[in-house]
Amino acid sequence: MKMKTSDFYYDLPERLIAQTPLDQRDSSRMLALNKSDGSIAHRHFYDLPEYLRAGDTLVLNNSRVIPARLLGVREDTGYPIELVLLTDKGNGVWECLTRPGKKCRIGAKLSFGEGKLTATVEDILPDGGNRLIRFHYEGIFLEILEELGTMPLPPYIKKKLEDPERYQTVYSKTPGSAAAPTAGLHFTPELLEKIKAMGVHIAYVTLHVGLGTFRPVKVEDVNDHVMHSEFYMLDEENAAIINNTHKNGGRIFSVGTTATRTLETIAAEDGTVRACSGWTNIFIYPGYKFKAVDCLITNFHLPESTLMMLISAFATRDMIMNTYKAAVAEEYRFFSFGDSMLIYTDQEDNHV
């Protein structure tokens, strides 16, 4: 099926792009789309339990955002340098986005925090010009990052984030993301406890979100787009929760496109999953047949993005585009700190 990137465009007034999180996480609005018939309801996130039932499972991405933005200087000239850490390559080497790139030639030596952290540019990658950078330090790298780094907020957020924890989910656990799995930002500990008390299971996957999630699709034909890779993990305990849910006729509610991509990467044709870890560059767009996910909780996404394509595959393109028109008309808040969308089905088991 040939599709153009422009098929996933919608018009969004800039004033609807949320710049700050709400005071109360679960007070965000929630647009509920029943993909069985296309009907829409305008709710709040704290109403989510009304759409769940005992035996269902929520799958959450427990990745934690690291303060991956570092401001430093070139050691020889004192010229200001900005790095954003993208992927841990092991042994102190990270793939990084660098600004300005021309000042980060191979061999350049960098300094951060008055020499508390230093680094050497080891290589320039052919696709996009990211650098491989080796860091030199004493102690624990993540602790140094916590001291010297800041949150790499998406480019459309212009306001300063007063509390960095608001760009973390309340269940974040495993450090490694350069961007938050934002669909989960609406949960509070109290809401999760209420959901568990209903007999709904909670399962966790880990997918470390890269900044590639914000990379625009630059090709005209969707089929020509190459997805970035991200690291995922699923352990035995959580795989068993997901498989038992399928076996017993419950629904899998995937919280976010990151959890969705993880599950669909791992799942067999019958929807069962296995404990494993690895890298995924799965690209989901209309025509894809979902194997593991029945219902999807997500935020509102950028026009012409791979995330718009994923949710258009989960419902239909026409259904999603009509729903987004309704969300704009109702003045929902968009993107990372914006409102939520639930795409659900009432069917007991979607994998028949």
Side-chain angles (χ1 to χ4, degrees), residues 21 23 28 95 105 169 173 204 247 254-255 274 352:
D23 290 341
S28 57
E95 179 182 345
R105 298 190 180 94
T169 62
K173 181 181 176 186
Y204 296 96
K247 184 172 146 189
S254 181
V255 179
R274 71 191 195 286
V352 178

Side-chain angles (χ1 to χ4, degrees), residues 70-85 94 96-123 131-137 148:
L70 285 168
L71 300 176
V73 295
R74 268 188 59 151
E75 283 189 351
D76 54 351
T77 63
Y79 197 94
I81 297 292
E82 177 184 350
L83 300 185
V84 178
L85 281 63
W94 284 73
C96 297
L97 189 68
T98 60
R99 294 192 191 98
K102 63 184 179 182
K103 299 292 183 182
C104 291
R105 298 190 180 94
I106 293 173
K109 297 190 181 301
L110 315 175
S111 177
F112 308 90
E114 298 181 343
K116 187 160 199 173
L117 178 67
T118 59
T120 307
V121 180
E122 294 208 333
D123 201 2
R131 269 55 171 176
L132 288 182
I133 293 183
R134 182 177 296 280
F135 289 96
H136 316 286
Y137 55 90
L148 302 180

Side-chain angles (χ1 to χ4, degrees), residues 112-333:
F112 308 90
E114 298 181 343
K116 187 160 199 173
L117 178 67
T118 59
T120 307
V121 180
E122 294 208 333
D123 201 2
I124 300 174
L125 299 177
D127 182 20
N130 291 342
R131 269 55 171 176
L132 288 182
I133 293 183
R134 182 177 296 280
F135 289 96
H136 316 286
Y137 55 90
E138 291 182 8
I140 298 170
F141 185 63
L142 284 176
E143 289 182 0
I144 295 170
L145 266 192
E146 290 286 347
E147 181 184 343
L148 302 180
T150 58
M151 288 293 176
L153 292 176
Y156 48 75
I157 293 178
K158 312 297 184 192
K159 290 193 178 176
K160 186 185 176 194
L161 179 62
E162 296 300 329
D163 178 8
E165 279 302 307
R166 291 308 309 272
Y167 196 55
Q168 306 279 12
T169 62
V170 297
Y171 48 81
S172 65
K173 181 181 176 186
T174 308
S177 280
T182 54
L185 293 179
H186 309 281
F187 284 96
T188 64
E190 295 78 15
L191 183 59
L192 285 168
E193 286 305 315
K194 182 178 180 180
I195 287 168
K196 284 184 203 170
M198 296 170 56
V200 175
H201 307 292
I202 307 286
Y204 296 96
V205 298
T206 303
L207 181 131
H208 292 320
V209 188
L211 290 187
T213 194
F214 302 115
R215 185 189 296 164
V217 178
K218 294 182 177 175
V219 294
E220 182 180 339
D221 187 339
V222 168
N223 294 283
D224 293 336
H225 179 69
V226 178
M227 279 293 279
H228 57 287
S229 291
E230 293 169 317
F231 184 76
Y232 68 84
M233 294 180 285
L234 175 65
D235 64 23
E236 295 277 2
E237 179 186 354
N238 288 290
I241 294 170
I242 293 164
N243 288 337
N244 285 334
T245 301
H246 279 308
K247 184 172 146 189
N248 297 323
R251 295 169 301 168
I252 298 296
F253 280 71
S254 181
V255 179
T257 56
T258 60
T260 300
R261 292 177 67 236
T262 304
L263 292 174
E264 293 298 320
T265 295
I266 296 169
E269 287 303 317
D270 63 357
T272 56
V273 295
R274 71 191 195 286
C276 60
S277 63
W279 294 83
T280 180
N281 63 351
I282 188 172
F283 180 20
I284 297 175
Y285 53 91
Y288 179 86
K289 180 169 169 36
F290 284 81
K291 300 170 288 190
V293 178
D294 301 298
C295 306
L296 174 60
I297 297 167
T298 187
N299 279 17
F300 291 95
H301 303 297
L302 277 76
E304 300 185 328
S305 64
T306 60
L307 308 181
M308 279 295 289
M309 296 169 192
L310 185 152
I311 63 170
S312 296
F314 193 70
T316 67
R317 192 195 75 87
D318 288 347
M319 205 179 282
I320 291 298
M321 300 313 285
N322 288 335
T323 302
Y324 267 56
K325 275 185 195 168
V328 170
E330 292 288 329
E331 301 205 328
Y332 275 73
R333 301 166 78 247

